[in-house]
Amino acid sequence: MKETILQWLSPIIENQAVKTLIAHPFLAGLLAGIVLFWLLRFFWWLLVRKRSCTGIIVKESAGQISVSVAAITGVIKHAVREINSLEIIRVRVAKRGKMYDFDLRVRMDAANGTAPKLMETLSVIVRDQMKSAFGIENIGKIKLTILNCDNSSPEVPESEDISNAGTERKAPDHTVKLNIRTDAEKE
């Protein structure tokens, strides 16, 4: 076994660059430090990255409840119908640690108000609806992407089928992105 490993490593050990690294411990340490840095960075990225999810699991005393993104989209669309000339196109949910981040893609009328006001209103609606409908309290960032902002109100059908909530429409050229962090996230 040892001979097989040495035969496999012999082309690497006989390489002039490797011989130079072995002869100079500073260069070997520098290279090892750089490799270690990138490996640690990669593993850190694996731990803290946002993971797209198809639903949220809520643990209750009697068991757990799995809430799909389609159900979340339906509840948000129903709650937002009160806001005139606003259409929720897509809702995405990503898990970051123990928090769930929401990405809302909307189409709005310019007469509906300013984007920061809309963001604040939608943030309150999403948090309230998730808590009251499903008992979901661990909501992190809510990202709002305005895909279309024109002077005519969008046509929202009277009865929407939420089974096509996951289908994606091609976004127009004009996009605005807003991120709002809560006080709990800053800590």
Side-chain angles (χ1 to χ4, degrees):
M1 176 87 166
K2 184 178 179 182
E3 294 170 0
T4 307
I5 294 173
L6 287 175
Q7 286 177 347
W8 184 74
L9 290 176
S10 65
I12 297 171
I13 294 172
E14 293 173 2
N15 189 343
Q16 186 62 34
V18 174
K19 287 181 181 178
T20 305
L21 280 175
I22 293 172
H24 300 292
F26 174 77
L27 292 177
L30 181 67
L31 181 64
I34 291 171
V35 169
L36 183 64
F37 169 77
W38 285 105
L39 281 174
L40 288 174
R41 186 171 176 180
F42 174 72
F43 287 122
W44 178 256
W45 175 78
L46 283 177
L47 290 174
V48 297
R49 68 185 170 140
K50 286 203 279 190
R51 295 183 179 107
S52 181
C53 55
T54 58
I56 297 176
I57 296 176
V58 181
K59 294 183 181 177
E60 296 291 329
S61 60
Q64 66 182 18
I65 302 169
S66 179
V67 182
S68 70
V69 173
I72 291 170
T73 302
V75 167
I76 292 174
K77 282 185 177 184
H78 183 71
V80 170
R81 285 189 181 166
E82 299 170 3
I83 303 174
N84 293 331
S85 48
L86 179 73
E87 177 187 9
I88 302 286
I89 296 172
R90 185 176 197 173
V91 176
R92 285 187 178 172
V93 179
K95 186 172 184 179
R96 186 177 36 91
K98 293 184 178 183
M99 303 297 281
Y100 290 97
D101 295 339
F102 283 70
D103 181 10
L104 302 173
R105 295 180 181 227
V106 302
R107 184 175 297 137
M108 68 176 263
D109 182 9
N112 196 30
T114 62
K117 180 182 173 188
L118 177 66
M119 180 63 200
E120 185 177 324
T121 305
L122 281 176
S123 178
V124 169
I125 288 173
V126 168
R127 290 178 197 284
D128 289 345
Q129 289 298 318
M130 292 302 103
K131 187 174 182 179
S132 65
F134 306 117
I136 300 171
E137 295 179 355
N138 50 345
I139 296 176
K141 289 191 284 185
I142 297 175
K143 178 179 163 186
L144 176 67
T145 305
I146 300 172
L147 296 177
N148 192 3
C149 185
D150 46 54
N151 292 330
S152 63
S153 63
E155 297 177 13
V156 180
E158 289 296 326
S159 61
E160 283 191 8
D161 181 19
I162 62 171
S163 63
N164 65 355
T167 60
E168 182 169 338
R169 299 178 191 168
K170 190 171 181 179
D173 296 331
H174 308 291
T175 57
V176 176
K177 294 183 180 181
L178 296 173
N179 288 325
I180 292 184
R181 292 186 179 186
T182 62
D183 293 335
E185 283 185 66
K186 293 178 184 176
E187 295 174 357

